[in-house]
Amino acid sequence: QVQLVESGGGLVQAGGSLRLSCAASGRTFSSYVMGWFRQAPGKEREFVGAMSWNGGSTYYADSVKGRFTISRDNADKMVYLQMNSLKPEDTAVYYCAARTDWDTKGDPADFGSWGQGTQVTVSS
């Protein structure tokens, strides 16, 4: 199993940008599909996007498509979420997660490893 630690959250005005980072530990980081999820107060955990093992494939939720970008660096065992044109409705705790297989369902139950989350707050 891989251990994950997110960072980079904070308070930003609407229209601004943030980049979240997720550091992984373990020797087989490149074996994992990496995903990002978010959870706002009183709401279910929501899929944001995911990237395949070597970064060759990505998919995103419609709500963030064109604004958010996932990248990864397997050598440094890092995955990133670049968030642009932020909106107040993007306010949530953001989590990175890992799984070993690939599909485009974005079901959090398919991800076996999770970070502790980082808070993103977008003010209007």
Side-chain angles (χ1 to χ4, degrees), residues 75-122:
D76 288 341
K77 300 179 185 177
M78 297 290 296
V79 63
Y80 304 97
L81 180 66
Q82 178 66 44
M83 305 184 294
N84 299 328
S85 303
L86 282 161
K87 306 174 181 179
E89 51 263 43
D90 295 318
T91 295
V93 177
Y94 282 71
Y95 300 88
C96 69
R99 61 183 292 185
T100 55
D101 56 347
W102 173 261
D103 64 36
T104 58
K105 293 186 295 182
D107 186 342
D110 293 327
F111 288 76
S113 298
W114 292 83
Q116 83 291 348
T118 185
Q119 177 70 46
V120 171
T121 303
V122 184

Side-chain angles (χ1 to χ4, degrees), residues 16-100:
S17 298
L18 275 178
R19 188 173 87 149
L20 305 184
S21 301
C22 175
S25 62
R27 294 190 295 177
T28 59
F29 177 69
S30 59
S31 301
Y32 291 92
V33 170
M34 298 303 299
W36 285 95
F37 291 79
R38 65 187 182 186
Q39 189 165 19
K43 295 189 176 181
E44 293 186 353
R45 193 162 294 189
E46 175 191 19
F47 171 75
V48 173
M51 173 170 275
S52 61
W53 310 269
N54 62 357
S57 297
T58 53
Y59 67 104
Y60 299 93
D62 288 342
S63 58
V64 307
K65 203 172 293 182
R67 300 188 298 124
F68 290 12
T69 303
I70 297 174
S71 61
R72 68 188 292 167
D73 184 332
N74 284 347
D76 288 341
K77 300 179 185 177
M78 297 290 296
V79 63
Y80 304 97
L81 180 66
Q82 178 66 44
M83 305 184 294
N84 299 328
S85 303
L86 282 161
K87 306 174 181 179
E89 51 263 43
D90 295 318
T91 295
V93 177
Y94 282 71
Y95 300 88
C96 69
R99 61 183 292 185
T100 55

